[in-house]
Amino acid sequence: MKKLLLATLLGAMTLTSVSAMAAEDVPYPHLETVGRGEISVQPDMAIFSVGVVETKATAEAAKAAVDSAVSALLARLTAQGVSKENIESANLSLYPQYDYPKNAQPKLVGYKASRTVMVTVDHLNKLNVYLDQALSNGLNQVNNIEFKVRNEKKYQLEAREAAIKNAQEKAKSLAKGFGVKLSNIWNISYERQNSMPVMNYAMDARSVSYKNESYQDSAITIRDQVSVIYLLNK
């Protein structure tokens, strides 16, 4: 039992030592390559955030105005078939509004209330419909629209495989060019790259029309990267 424990400890120390050395300069002839893979796909779903902001004379009136708009939107989205899991309604924000006259004390002039609603759209062809529903129910801000792809893991794997192939091709080309031969792999370092979603940022709902908007040319870029250190034969 003691021999087994000692062997386990020695093995752990060896792995730690190799890992530490891999992070520093490799003390042998070596070649390091960085492989990059990139996949471009069309979005098939989206997440949009809309909001309502109202200023009224009293806190109660301001709260009632935004609550009414949000409740109406939730009811119409549900009637359109949007599941409750795809709708997220934020809590109320309420702030007093003051007028600051010159050489006088600030004067309370009303209350500003706001709420936001975030909706996940499973089918992109319904995006315009849901946005129209939001804007017709008193919501007056489009905070952002983020386009996404449903099966992101599949495309992430494709990007990773492309990155691995790219690293291998670079290593072989460099070794051939310098007249050396690749040996074993010393270290593989991987850090997943974030996908680049298509974003539309905050806009004034009153000045935007979505009826003729097309998303067929939109694209999401999914990237991956891997670093490989090859030992070289003399």
Side-chain angles (χ1 to χ4, degrees), residues 185-206:
I185 292 176
W186 175 266
N187 183 58
I188 299 174
S189 177
Y190 171 76
E191 183 176 350
R192 176 179 170 179
Q193 304 294 299
N194 293 326
S195 61
M196 300 295 291
V198 181
M199 299 286 292
N200 284 342
Y201 293 100
M203 55 198 81
D204 186 346
R206 293 168 298 180

Side-chain angles (χ1 to χ4, degrees), residues 124 128 147 200 209-218:
L124 201 55
N128 286 338
F147 297 98
N200 284 342
S209 174
Y210 300 93
K211 295 186 181 299
N212 297 318
E213 194 74 30
S214 174
Y215 308 108
Q216 297 302 313
D217 297 329
S218 302

Side-chain angles (χ1 to χ4, degrees), residues 25-40:
D25 292 336
V26 181
Y28 304 105
H30 65 281
L31 183 154
E32 181 175 359
T33 62
V34 177
R36 295 181 175 87
E38 184 175 294
I39 302 293
S40 181

Side-chain angles (χ1 to χ4, degrees), residues 2 12 30 32 34 54 93 104 122 139 145 158 170 185 197 221:
K2 290 183 178 179
H30 65 281
E32 181 175 359
V34 177
E54 295 287 352
S93 294
D122 286 330
L139 280 86
I145 306 171
E158 290 182 12
K170 285 181 181 178
I185 292 176
T221 302

Side-chain angles (χ1 to χ4, degrees), residues 68-123:
S68 175
V70 170
S71 295
L73 172 62
L74 298 184
R76 295 189 69 171
L77 288 177
T78 302
Q80 288 284 341
V82 182
S83 65
K84 293 182 179 180
E85 292 77 14
N86 285 352
I87 305 174
E88 182 179 341
S89 176
N91 292 331
L92 173 73
S93 294
L94 186 64
Y95 302 97
Q97 300 292 294
Y98 291 92
D99 183 25
Y100 295 91
K102 189 175 182 180
N103 300 324
Q105 292 294 322
K107 180 182 178 181
L108 179 66
V109 294
Y111 289 85
K112 185 183 210 178
S114 64
R115 286 186 68 183
T116 60
V117 177
M118 185 176 293
V119 181
T120 298
V121 183
D122 286 330
H123 301 286

